[in-house]
Amino acid sequence: MRERLTDTLYGLGWATVKKLPEPVATGLGRRIADTVWKRRGKSVLRLESNLARVVPDASPQRLAELSQAGMRSYMRYWMESFRLPAWSKDRMKTGFEPQDVHHLVDGLASGRGVVLALPHMGNYDLAGAWVTTKLDTPFTTVAERLKPETLYDRFVAYRESLGMEVLPHTGGSAFGTLARRLRDGGLVCLVADRDLSASGVEVKFFGDTARMPAGPALLAQQTGALLLPVTLWYDESPVMRGRVHPPIEVPETGTRAEKTSVMTQALADAFATGIAEHPEDWHMLQRLWLADLEERRA
């Protein structure tokens, strides 16, 4: 029953919010965010706990302000996502302004393939729509299988409508397909700040140990593709901002596991740089650090 309700609510969001005028949708998202934040539920408390690691010297008042801003940013993501299928291509092209995009453009022009790795920041669906419209470049990504299956199907259909090829995280041969796309000189985009397999790479992240997926580093090693971290954030304008960070190179020496560890740590460091600059736009409402995961298991 709970799964069916969740699917129904998402369906209503995509069907209804996209019909609202943009100022109305923006105001609705902010009101929902503030209501959820005031209730101090588990997701809000977890976000605040995560932000305490990002901004360790923040006072309780500052953390509360950050978590409220974080929930507003998170709801902006959802309001935009519900409306994106109704946006014109011109609106998608002007809705995102990344810095240092030459790293991506030059990498694609080289024909070696590119892996873009992102944390849960801003709106990566909007960034993807910008890539498929402004750069006229299709790409492949991976989606977590959600329950119920109808909800997963909604997300796949939504992202495919924006020009993305979507592969399931489990139950398929995603890695092999991603590698083939890269060897053909294509683009792969992966959200890579939270390991979903429990077999990721341990990294130091804001002073403590977390685990992040090995996929981006392994794909770069096996295919010769360029690995580029990307961070996203909002300001007070309707336009999302972002930065394409310099490439993470494959180490010249070491075993595959050692190279993967070094590259994943470099990826975590790039994420940390962007998150520290814009902590309110990091939408991490789940446990991430190993100490927090072990606390839950205990």
Side-chain angles (χ1 to χ4, degrees):
M1 179 66 73
R2 182 177 179 180
E3 291 177 357
R4 288 199 298 271
L5 177 60
T6 300
D7 179 52
T8 300
L9 290 174
Y10 277 107
L12 285 172
W14 269 302
T16 304
V17 174
K18 68 181 179 182
K19 298 177 182 178
L20 298 175
E22 190 161 337
V24 175
T26 299
L28 174 63
R30 176 163 290 207
R31 287 194 296 274
I32 293 172
D34 288 348
T35 299
V36 172
W37 177 78
K38 288 176 182 176
R39 290 179 178 173
R40 310 290 291 167
K42 288 191 295 184
S43 294
V44 172
L45 294 177
R46 176 49 51 191
L47 174 63
E48 208 160 282
S49 175
N50 290 340
L51 289 171
R53 292 179 182 270
V54 175
V55 191
D57 58 347
S59 66
Q61 179 181 353
R62 175 58 179 152
L63 277 178
E65 292 170 352
L66 278 175
S67 67
Q68 182 177 25
M71 292 307 298
R72 288 179 173 180
S73 175
Y74 186 50
M75 286 310 303
R76 176 172 170 175
Y77 159 76
W78 279 113
M79 292 296 110
E80 284 181 348
S81 295
F82 288 144
R83 292 175 53 78
L84 265 176
W87 281 17
S88 67
K89 288 190 175 181
D90 285 342
R91 179 72 175 87
M92 292 180 187
K93 290 177 182 179
T94 59
F96 177 43
E97 291 186 1
Q99 302 170 8
D100 300 326
V101 74
H102 65 275
H103 292 306
L104 171 57
V105 174
D106 294 346
L108 291 171
S110 72
R112 61 185 287 193
V114 175
V115 180
L116 292 181
L118 306 89
H120 286 79
M121 288 188 79
N123 187 341
Y124 34 83
D125 289 326
L126 172 55
W130 182 88
V131 168
T132 61
T133 54
K134 180 73 173 182
L135 300 185
D136 194 23
T137 301
F139 66 88
T140 305
T141 189
V142 174
E144 179 183 0
R145 279 197 177 276
L146 303 172
K147 292 183 179 181
E149 192 73 15
T150 50
L151 180 57
Y152 171 76
D153 292 340
R154 285 186 191 276
F155 273 94
V156 170
Y158 156 63
R159 288 178 172 139
E160 287 179 343
S161 75
L162 301 176
M164 312 175 193
E165 178 187 22
V166 183
L167 307 176
H169 180 265
T170 57
S173 54
F175 190 91
T177 302
L178 295 174
R180 287 194 295 273
R181 300 291 183 269
L182 292 169
R183 291 191 181 102
D184 290 339
L187 175 63
V188 165
C189 300
L190 301 171
V191 180
D193 59 342
R194 179 169 171 255
D195 179 51
L196 296 175
S197 66
S199 60
V201 178
E202 290 190 5
V203 295
K204 286 297 180 182
F205 195 56
F206 290 105
D208 209 345
T209 304
R211 190 182 290 117
M212 294 187 180
L218 287 172
L219 285 167
Q221 289 178 62
Q222 293 192 19
T223 67
L226 200 65
L227 176 55
L228 298 174
V230 178
T231 51
L232 310 170
W233 65 91
Y234 292 121
D235 56 19
E236 295 303 315
S237 77
V239 178
M240 184 175 70
R241 313 296 174 177
R243 179 188 175 196
V244 182
H245 295 252
I248 293 175
E249 303 294 342
V250 178
E252 295 182 359
T253 60
T255 64
R256 185 174 71 167
E258 289 168 342
K259 292 178 180 180
T260 301
S261 178
V262 170
M263 295 174 71
T264 306
Q265 181 63 63
L267 195 62
D269 292 343
F271 290 167
T273 298
I275 292 168
E277 292 173 351
H278 306 281
E280 67 276 9
D281 292 310
W282 185 43
H283 307 150
M284 185 54 65
L285 279 67
Q286 299 84 18
R287 297 173 189 263
L288 178 70
W289 283 271
L290 297 191
D292 294 336
L293 293 170
E294 290 167 358
E295 176 185 309
R296 180 178 62 183
R297 283 194 293 269

